[in-house]
Amino acid sequence: MKLFVYHTPELTPTSTVPDCAIAIDVLRATSTIATALHAGAEAVEAFSDLDKLMQVSANWPADKRLRAGERGGAQVEGYDMGNSPLDCTPEKVTGRRLFISTTNGTRALQCIQAAPVVLAAALINRDAVVRYIMGQQPATIWTVGSGWEGSFSLEDTVCAGAIFAALLKATGATAGEMAGNDEAIAALALYHQWQDDLLGLMHHASHGQRLLRLNIHEDLKYCAQTDILDVVPIQKQPGVLAKN
């Protein structure tokens, strides 16, 4: 296996696709997707465009859908919820489809949707994703961070490093043997530096600070946890993810 890390959707190659592509948006889209599916959502359908989300979701019965819209960290007016994983309780999401559009994470999913296997990963479901990969043994893996409006983000890269570290432990390979690019080595180093204080890293991260200014403290605490959900969101059709 070869693991490639891309910090933002804009940095992913356009001339090829990997055997497995993993979208990462720790703060907060992929954390929310994993939590919603773990709590019983029927599926999560991701959109980069809010108008398209409203158009498609209008075809679903109101009691079978939830609309989640977020821009700049805040909930979009007129939506059922924003982008907080803590809103995804079993009482709210069970049996419903979550239609979601966020500032960054849904763009990452869109840019890799042509890959034969597309997963959504966050720190909270890292181990489940790694176990799935070990079962499938894809030759090439891309992790694609969502970043923030085209810029690097610490929390997505540290998650890529956490995935890399777990794969190295599971396979017994060396970092040099598995790394597909320099970014993979950098992500691994970042994880090794911060693995015992991931919440502290999020407080340093620009998007973490943005959420703190919005008084979204509990989301950071939740998203900084590792391996708490046994769920692998996998693309069933372009833009639609369900539990594996």
Side-chain angles (χ1 to χ4, degrees):
M1 284 189 286
K2 284 285 187 182
L3 179 80
F4 297 78
V5 173
Y6 298 102
H7 297 311
T8 68
E10 292 79 6
L11 293 173
T12 57
T14 56
S15 59
T16 184
V17 294
D19 297 302
C20 176
I22 305 171
I24 300 173
D25 185 7
V26 172
L27 296 175
R28 296 165 283 167
T30 54
S31 296
T32 296
I33 290 167
T35 303
L37 292 175
H38 186 265
E42 175 263 336
V44 178
E45 191 161 353
F47 299 83
S48 57
D49 181 77
L50 288 167
D51 291 337
K52 183 69 171 176
L53 183 158
M54 295 299 284
Q55 178 186 341
V56 173
S57 62
N59 296 320
W60 284 69
D63 63 342
K64 294 295 183 181
R65 72 179 183 225
L66 283 170
R67 291 165 169 161
E70 172 265 315
R71 289 294 183 270
Q75 180 174 333
V76 178
E77 186 177 352
Y79 282 69
D80 300 307
M81 55 184 282
N83 188 21
S84 174
L86 299 181
D87 285 341
C88 298
T89 61
E91 295 78 16
K92 190 168 190 174
V93 306
T94 296
R96 292 182 165 188
R97 177 166 295 203
L98 182 65
F99 296 87
I100 187 170
S101 181
T102 71
T103 307
N104 303 293
T106 45
R107 292 197 298 88
L109 282 163
Q110 191 172 48
C111 95
I112 58 174
Q113 65 184 18
V117 176
V118 175
L119 310 176
L123 290 166
I124 56 175
N125 71 327
R126 185 269 309 256
D127 183 62
V129 167
V130 168
R131 283 188 280 109
Y132 178 85
I133 292 169
M134 289 300 297
Q136 298 295 312
Q137 294 288 313
T140 54
I141 305 162
W142 292 1
T143 68
V144 180
S146 298
W148 177 262
E149 296 184 343
S151 308
F152 172 91
S153 67
L154 283 169
E155 68 276 4
D156 294 342
T157 298
V158 84
C159 183
I163 291 169
F164 193 8
L167 285 170
L168 292 174
K169 183 177 181 180
T171 62
T174 67
E177 290 168 340
M178 190 175 287
N181 58 3
D182 288 359
E183 291 91 332
I185 298 295
L188 183 66
L190 183 68
Y191 175 67
H192 283 157
Q193 176 70 27
W194 287 94
Q195 61 184 317
D196 296 323
D197 188 17
L198 291 168
L199 181 59
L201 177 136
M202 291 188 194
H203 279 255
H204 284 288
S206 59
H207 191 39
Q209 293 175 14
R210 191 176 292 109
L211 294 175
L212 288 171
R213 288 193 294 272
L214 293 168
N215 294 314
I216 304 176
H217 300 264
E218 295 304 314
D219 279 16
L220 261 68
K221 293 178 184 177
Y222 177 79
C223 294
Q225 298 176 95
T226 307
D227 305 336
I228 61 169
L229 298 185
D230 186 16
V231 62
V232 181
I234 185 167
Q235 181 175 264
K236 300 299 185 180
Q237 62 189 73
V240 179
L241 297 108
K243 284 177 69 171
N244 176 55

